[in-house]
Amino acid sequence: MTSTTTSIVWFRQDLRLHDNPALEFASSVGKVLPIYILDEKNGSDWRPGKASRWWLNGSLQSLDRSMNGALRVFRGDPLKIIEKLITEYNIRNIFWNRCYEPWQALRDKVIKSKVQKIGVNARSFNGSLLYEPWEVVKSDGSPYKVFTPFYKQSRLRGAPKEASTEYLRNLQFLSSSQKNTEVDSLNLLGENDWSNKLASRWIPGETGGEQTLKLFLDGGIRHYKVGRDFPATDAVSKLSPYLHFGELSPNHVWHAVNNFAALENLEVQAEHFHRELVWREFSYSLLHHFPDLTSKNFNKRFDYFPWQRNTQLIEKWQDAETGYPLIDAGMRELASTGYMHNRIRMVTASFLVKNLLIDWRVGAEWFWESLVDADLANNYCSWQWVAGSGADAAPYFRIFNPVTQSKKFDPDATYIKRWIPELEKCPNKYIHDPSSAPGPELRQFGIKLDQSYPSAIVDLKTTRQAALSAYQSLRDKS
């Protein structure tokens, strides 16, 4: 192959220049024609939610800037668009980094076969995971369904290889006087009323990801193991959206944390963070081997669970009007930032599924629409885990009590007051469960239930028992 060869690099969930295997390989072949295709034909069932579309818009803008305007963006059927580009630019190669969502994997297989038949070299790479889902399996080739042995097996493979940046020096993008559609033409924002709120809190793109990683290394990593459970602290990395959109690779994050920890004697903290990265890998492995887990119960016994379809309760949960401050604070954080602290995600999910008896798929769909880090594997595996219907799931009888969780992980109600300022003057003994307080006493602090703050929509003890009885009905059928 000569240096005049032009190769397409099809960007998807790898919106970065550094540690990008497909881009690295293409740079060794010749010039690069970088493209992004908004595929709403094949992925119509998994159209990004409002928060994700806002992030994608910013991420593509950032990627285009890093290429000095060389990125071409399209909307439509990827196969037709790619075939047209192959003819227009006499393309001999197309490279991409693999996606693992079932619909994308199927689509990519078809495209690779089609373009190879017309004499174009098509090659894919791993740019999104530490290890491929088919690499971390049992000795008989079957997938792990429990995290701990999966984790041990993945660690036996050793640390991933640290990426080189040498290729960036020789990177040449194809210049063209006929610039294709601008990112804005994709109309990703539409009538998105979240833009201003999200823009004040996030910087999508590779540069924003590096800044967020540096902030984590400068602060949160030092008390990550314990601090990550306390929503009022700044111990979590907030790297999840950058990993989902591929603005940072897990490989790069792994080594950045590992190298910093070695210098600062923070190996224990780094190991716990690495464990969370492997949880991400476990979710991707499950989705790869069990592609219907986004819509069907992993544990088939739950097909007979007596879920309730109470629209009023669902809306109270969505609108942060449950009367349980920790739940409502989390839902307000989600509505304002497109993000929710992981501990609070578990508590809010448990409340919906086990106290309100609402199908886990309802909650997963709301998170999919609302989260900037909405990730098919992580979102749906996590919801099934909380519901008790998933792989290596939390036992169904493990029901997160939002009041006790609040007292344990937000003892001074700092997180609650941040998101529910109307409870700022509420005394600490009542703020975790205002409905348990005497009305006259609350009014002394300017709080009147169902006016300044809602009463609890359900009784925790009663609904816990109802959930356990519903679960027992499944066991009786088995």
Side-chain angles (χ1 to χ4, degrees):
M1 297 179 184
T2 68
S3 60
T4 58
T5 300
T6 297
S7 303
I8 288 176
V9 173
W10 180 15
F11 285 84
R12 295 100 69 77
Q13 287 168 235
D14 54 348
L15 305 179
R16 64 182 185 273
L17 299 186
H18 294 77
D19 192 16
N20 189 315
L23 187 61
E24 180 177 11
F25 191 84
S27 71
S28 69
V29 173
K31 291 185 177 181
V32 173
L33 173 60
I35 68 170
Y36 178 86
I37 303 170
L38 182 62
D39 182 3
E40 295 180 314
K41 171 183 178 291
N42 297 289
S44 58
D45 291 341
W46 298 112
R47 185 177 184 270
K50 286 199 303 182
S52 292
R53 290 171 73 86
W54 174 84
W55 191 287
L56 176 59
N57 182 77
S59 188
L60 290 172
Q61 299 277 11
S62 175
L63 182 63
D64 190 38
R65 288 193 298 271
S66 69
M67 296 177 177
N68 294 317
L71 180 67
R72 318 292 176 84
V73 297
F74 305 89
R75 177 199 296 269
D77 183 352
L79 178 58
K80 292 180 179 179
I81 292 167
I82 288 169
E83 286 178 334
K84 182 178 179 182
L85 290 172
I86 287 171
T87 301
E88 184 178 351
Y89 292 96
N90 191 28
I91 298 295
R92 299 268 62 87
N93 309 287
I94 177 168
F95 306 120
W96 63 73
N97 293 310
R98 285 185 281 277
C99 293
Y100 301 89
E101 288 82 350
W103 69 270
Q104 296 203 71
L106 180 62
R107 174 201 64 190
D108 294 351
K109 184 178 180 180
V110 171
I111 291 175
K112 182 178 285 190
S113 175
K114 293 279 189 181
V115 300
Q116 286 175 338
K117 285 181 180 178
I118 60 175
V120 174
N121 175 39
R123 182 170 174 182
S124 61
F125 302 82
N126 175 13
S128 299
L129 297 174
L130 299 172
Y131 308 106
E132 297 284 18
W134 48 88
E135 293 177 340
V136 185
V137 291
K138 299 177 184 178
S139 57
D140 63 359
S142 62
Y144 287 102
K145 299 179 183 179
V146 178
F147 173 73
T148 299
F150 178 90
Y151 176 72
K152 291 178 178 177
Q153 182 63 26
S154 70
R155 296 312 305 268
L156 286 175
R157 299 188 64 86
K161 182 180 178 182
E162 199 158 4
S164 168
T165 59
E166 189 66 29
Y167 70 93
L168 294 172
R169 298 181 182 180
N170 303 317
L171 194 55
Q172 295 183 56
F173 294 113
L174 183 69
S175 59
S176 173
S177 58
Q178 293 182 327
K179 181 73 167 70
N180 283 86
T181 55
E182 302 288 344
V183 173
D184 287 343
S185 71
L186 297 178
N187 195 31
L188 286 164
L189 300 182
E191 299 298 322
N192 198 330
D193 58 353
W194 285 19
S195 297
N196 292 334
K197 291 188 290 186
L198 298 181
S200 66
R201 296 180 179 274
W202 299 98
I203 304 174
E206 188 171 7
T207 299
E210 292 290 355
Q211 292 174 0
T212 303
L213 176 58
K214 184 178 185 304
L215 286 173
F216 177 55
L217 296 180
D218 288 343
I221 187 63
R222 298 182 184 278
H223 49 283
Y224 179 79
K225 183 177 180 180
V226 174
R228 66 182 297 273
D229 275 325
F230 293 81
T233 66
D234 211 11
V236 294
S237 72
K238 293 191 176 178
L239 292 173
S240 51
Y242 298 101
L243 288 168
H244 169 69
F245 286 95
E247 297 151 329
L248 296 177
S249 74
N251 181 52
H252 172 61
V253 171
W254 179 288
H255 285 289
V257 169
N258 202 55
N259 295 339
F260 183 83
L263 292 173
E264 299 289 329
N265 296 317
L266 295 170
E267 287 86 355
V268 172
Q269 306 298 328
E271 175 63 25
H272 205 75
F273 179 79
H274 288 159
R275 188 178 180 88
E276 297 306 312
L277 283 180
V278 178
W279 263 109
R280 178 177 181 269
E281 302 275 312
F282 183 51
S283 295
Y284 271 81
S285 174
L286 290 172
L287 182 62
H288 171 75
H289 292 289
F290 306 99
D292 63 354
L293 63 75
T294 58
S295 59
K296 297 180 180 179
N297 294 303
F298 190 85
N299 182 342
K300 300 306 178 186
R301 281 196 303 176
F302 277 79
D303 291 348
Y304 303 99
F305 194 89
W307 301 115
Q308 306 299 305
R309 185 71 191 188
N310 188 317
T311 303
Q312 184 178 16
L313 290 181
I314 293 171
E315 290 177 353
K316 291 287 187 183
W317 179 80
Q318 292 173 339
D319 296 338
E321 296 177 353
T322 69
Y324 290 102
L326 192 67
I327 303 291
D328 295 338
M331 297 305 286
R332 287 192 189 185
E333 180 185 24
L334 177 63
S336 296
T337 70
Y339 178 85
M340 189 190 294
H341 187 277
N342 184 64
R343 167 63 57 175
I344 311 304
R345 293 190 197 199
M346 292 190 292
V347 179
T348 57
S350 176
F351 182 80
L352 181 75
V353 172
K354 296 178 179 179
N355 291 103
L356 304 186
L357 290 183
I358 302 299
D359 193 322
W360 60 267
R361 281 159 283 223
V362 174
E365 289 169 7
W366 186 255
F367 273 27
W368 179 261
E369 181 69 21
S370 306
L371 286 168
V372 291
D373 62 6
D375 182 278
L376 201 65
N378 289 316
N379 186 46
Y380 283 83
C381 286
S382 295
W383 272 93
Q384 288 228 46
W385 181 87
V386 170
S389 61
D392 198 16
Y396 189 81
F397 55 78
R398 184 184 182 190
I399 300 175
F400 290 94
N401 183 305
V403 176
T404 56
Q405 289 282 308
S406 183
K407 291 177 178 178
K408 183 176 181 179
F409 296 109
D410 191 28
D412 297 323
T414 305
Y415 176 76
I416 288 173
K417 291 176 183 177
R418 180 185 303 163
W419 294 107
I420 311 179
E422 58 266 40
L423 293 180
E424 189 172 5
K425 295 181 180 179
C426 186
N428 205 52
K429 64 178 179 177
Y430 296 135
I431 195 169
H432 303 284
D433 185 15
S435 293
S436 67
E441 193 164 343
L442 279 185
R443 285 194 288 273
Q444 292 179 23
F445 301 95
I447 301 166
K448 189 176 291 187
L449 291 179
D450 293 324
Q451 292 186 23
S452 52
Y453 184 72
S455 298
I457 58 174
V458 294
D459 176 73
L460 296 178
K461 184 177 180 180
T462 302
T463 52
R464 171 185 167 84
Q465 189 54 53
L468 294 177
S469 297
Y471 179 62
Q472 184 61 45
S473 71
L474 299 185
R475 301 186 64 174
D476 293 342
K477 291 178 182 178
S478 61

